[in-house]
């Protein structure tokens, strides 16, 4: 098994890809912390923070159909490189503005919007690039290592960003410029066999082709929508400040500990998955992971102990990682190369939407019925959705391999 995993490491340019994504994702987290903190320091207005989040998220929604089409028509490596260099340029402009003392609210919002747009283009192109770097048999393991990037970034990015910002905003933006520039250079040096793709004329049909593809493939539609509703209903992490202050009475340090728990769980699971990849029963494993996710959320909701809450959140992150790896591997292996950009764009939209709307849903429900009941019933609803999806998508439930072997047709 170890030999198989080492084969991933020996792929000539996979290391370039992994390090580049790590630097890019960590830099994004650092910039998000710095931009949000600086906006609040300038305005002392919670609404301004909301607009920063909206500026970063809106491009993903608005550009979904376009970014996928671009990723399928042009060199994906070049797209990733340009996005990373543009982000480095924005960080450099923020650095200069801070040095001359001319930073203001409008500049921060514009920077957040441009960074959000770059991330919207970079995500689908980078995801679609991965299968071109490793043999088909190693895609699932490569996805496991790639998934660890996001978890590392969530753990390291905010911590590094906060530490550097406490010294000076200049240090955060300088570090981001260097990291993103190195990421871009590593991307440039990636070499791969160019896939032969037929470039169709841009039309409304071609723009919506990714959505149509997902709709016509029940296995892909089922796993993407399952993850969407699970995270949407079980988003207890949005309520962590309330649990830390009013229920567990731990203060800011406890909040920080709980915020890292899901990322640590997901990171450890992604690394374990990379060395010991799942070989069969993907469908039952997916539904089992979502059940664990729901149960762990319910455990967190009723916990009155910080250690138990940490363990519950650790399990939330670990079980969610299983879903992410299976979903991402499915998208890569069951989608033709000429469609991967558009399908990955749809996938990214589902992920972003579930995270953002999940926080909103959790906050609204908690406001009506209370924090603990909201988190508990959110976990219960996740389990209910998993059961419903087993009935609605029998081909997903019976799926034995990521190539579509489920004992039932995978195309509707």
């Amino acid at each position: 098994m170890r030999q198989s995993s080492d084969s991933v490491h020996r792929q000539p340019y996979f290391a370039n890809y992994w390090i580049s994504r790590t630097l890019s994702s960590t830099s994004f987290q650092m910039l998000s912390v710095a931009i949000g903190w600086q906006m609040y320091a300038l305005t002392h207005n919670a609404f301004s923070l909301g607009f920063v989040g909206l500026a970063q998220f809106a491009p993903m929604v608005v550009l979904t159909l376009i970014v996928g089409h671009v990723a399928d028509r042009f060199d994906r490596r070049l797209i990733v490189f340009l996005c990373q260099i543009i982000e480095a340029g924005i960080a450099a402009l923020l650095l200069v503005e801070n040095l001359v003392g001319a930073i203001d609210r409008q500049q921060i919002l514009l920077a957040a919007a441009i960074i959000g747009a770059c991330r919207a283009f970079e995500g689908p192109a980078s995801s679609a690039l991965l299968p071109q770097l490793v043999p088909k048999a190693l895609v699932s393991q490569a996805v496991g290592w790639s998934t660890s990037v996001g978890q590392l970034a969530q753990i390291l990015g905010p911590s590094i960003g906060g530490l550097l910002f406490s010294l000076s905003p200049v240090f955060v933006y300088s570090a981001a410029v260097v990291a993103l520039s190195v990421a871009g250079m590593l991307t440039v040096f990636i070499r791969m066999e160019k896939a032969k793709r037929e470039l169709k004329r841009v039309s409304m049909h071609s723009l919506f082709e990714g959505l149509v593809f997902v709709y016509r493939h029940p296995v892909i539609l089922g796993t993407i929508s399952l993850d969407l509703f699970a995270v949407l209903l079980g988003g207890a992490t949005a309520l962590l400040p309330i649990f830390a202050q009013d229920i567990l009475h731990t203060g800011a340090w406890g909040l920080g500990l709980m915020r890292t728990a899901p990322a640590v769980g997901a990171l450890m699971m992604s690394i374990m998955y990379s060395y010991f990849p799942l070989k069969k029963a993907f469908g039952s494993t997916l539904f089992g992971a979502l059940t664990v996710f729901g149960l762990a959320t319910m455990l967190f909701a009723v916990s009155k102990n910080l250690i138990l809450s940490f363990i519950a959140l650790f399990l939330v992150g670990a079980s969610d990682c299983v879903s992410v790896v299976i979903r991402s591997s499915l998208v890569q292996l069951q989608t033709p190369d000429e469609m991967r950009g558009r399908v990955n764009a749809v996938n990214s939209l589902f992920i972003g939407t579930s995270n953002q709307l999940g926080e909103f849903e959790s906050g609204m429900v908690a406001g009506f019925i209370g924090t603990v009941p909201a988190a508990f019933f959110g976990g219960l609803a996740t389990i209910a959705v998993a059961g419903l999806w087993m009935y609605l998508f029998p081909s997903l439930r019976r799926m034995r391999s990521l190539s579509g072997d489920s004992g039932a047709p995978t195309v509707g």
Side-chain angles (χ1 to χ4, degrees):
M1 191 69 65
R2 177 63 183 267
Q3 181 180 2
S4 177
S5 182
D6 285 343
S7 297
V8 176
H9 300 158
R10 289 199 299 268
Q11 298 308 305
Y13 297 104
F14 181 76
N16 284 39
Y17 174 87
W18 190 88
I19 296 173
S20 176
R21 285 202 66 172
T22 300
L23 291 173
S24 179
S25 298
T26 303
S27 296
F28 174 72
Q29 296 290 340
M30 291 167 55
L31 288 172
S32 295
V33 168
I35 287 173
W37 195 288
Q38 195 156 37
M39 173 64 86
Y40 191 72
L42 287 172
T43 65
H44 297 286
N45 187 326
F47 287 107
S48 295
L49 286 178
F51 281 118
V52 170
L54 179 64
Q56 291 180 325
F57 175 67
M60 182 193 306
V61 177
V62 175
L63 299 173
T64 295
L65 299 179
I66 297 175
V67 299
H69 208 284
V70 169
D72 284 335
R73 290 183 64 86
F74 301 102
D75 187 338
R76 292 162 182 163
R77 182 192 55 175
L78 178 61
I79 295 170
V80 174
F81 166 75
L82 289 175
C83 290
Q84 291 168 339
I85 294 303
I86 292 173
E87 290 176 61
I90 294 300
L93 288 175
L94 291 171
L95 168 62
V96 172
E97 294 294 338
N98 275 273
L99 287 172
V100 301
I103 193 75
D104 60 29
R105 179 178 182 273
Q106 286 70 30
Q107 291 170 346
I108 293 176
L109 285 176
L110 180 60
I114 295 175
I115 291 173
C118 288
R119 299 293 295 180
F121 277 94
E122 182 182 350
S126 182
S127 297
L129 179 64
L130 178 59
Q132 295 179 256
L133 302 179
V134 298
K136 187 175 181 180
L138 299 178
V139 167
S140 182
Q141 291 168 272
V143 167
W145 280 109
S146 181
T147 301
S148 70
V149 168
Q151 311 311 324
L152 274 175
Q154 288 185 39
I155 296 171
L156 297 178
S159 302
I160 296 173
L163 176 62
L164 293 177
F165 193 93
S166 67
L167 300 175
S168 171
V170 169
F171 289 111
V172 183
Y173 298 126
S174 298
V177 170
V178 174
L180 287 165
S181 298
V182 172
M185 291 302 103
L186 288 171
T187 300
V188 164
F189 289 120
I190 291 176
R191 295 291 180 269
M192 61 195 178
E193 181 179 350
K194 291 188 176 181
K196 296 181 180 179
R197 297 193 292 268
E198 180 183 353
L199 295 182
K200 300 179 181 179
R201 184 175 61 86
V202 178
S203 63
M204 291 301 295
H205 172 75
S206 64
L207 285 174
F208 283 93
E209 209 166 0
L211 286 169
V212 173
F213 182 89
V214 170
Y215 176 75
R216 290 181 175 176
H217 288 72
V219 167
I220 296 180
L221 175 62
T223 190
I224 291 179
S225 58
L226 176 62
D227 185 79
L228 167 66
F229 285 102
V231 176
L232 180 65
L233 296 171
T237 53
L239 305 175
L240 287 182
I242 303 176
F243 274 95
Q245 181 172 338
D246 298 336
I247 298 172
L248 298 174
H249 307 289
T250 62
W253 72 273
L255 173 60
L257 184 67
M258 287 191 291
R259 280 200 177 278
T260 62
V264 172
L267 175 61
M268 294 185 65
M269 179 59 69
S270 64
I271 294 176
M272 187 179 77
Y273 192 95
S274 302
Y275 281 97
F276 304 99
L278 190 65
K279 295 295 184 181
K280 57 183 179 180
F282 287 90
S284 58
T285 300
L286 175 62
F287 286 107
L290 263 297
T291 301
V292 172
F293 180 94
L295 290 172
T297 300
M298 295 165 67
L299 175 62
F300 169 73
V302 300
S303 171
K304 305 296 183 184
N305 179 275
L306 179 60
I307 296 177
L308 182 59
S309 296
F310 180 90
I311 294 173
L313 290 170
F314 178 93
L315 293 174
V316 165
S319 56
D320 184 54
C321 179
V322 175
S323 171
V324 169
V325 171
I326 292 177
R327 182 190 67 240
S328 299
S329 300
L330 269 173
V331 170
Q332 306 298 6
L333 291 172
Q334 293 204 12
T335 305
D337 182 73
E338 66 273 11
M339 289 287 300
R340 282 197 182 114
R342 282 164 285 182
V343 173
N344 273 290
V346 174
N347 190 28
S348 296
L349 177 62
F350 273 59
I351 295 172
T353 300
S354 64
N355 290 333
Q356 299 295 328
L357 291 184
E359 294 184 3
F360 175 77
E361 179 270 341
S362 295
M364 292 298 101
V365 175
F368 283 112
I369 67 174
T371 303
V372 172
F376 184 88
F377 286 111
L380 190 62
T382 297
I383 297 174
V385 167
L388 178 61
W389 255 240
M390 290 178 70
Y391 171 76
L392 294 176
F393 298 93
S395 57
L396 178 60
R397 184 184 70 246
R398 295 192 293 263
M399 183 179 62
R400 295 194 299 268
S401 75
L402 292 175
S403 61
D405 179 15
S406 61
T410 60
V411 179

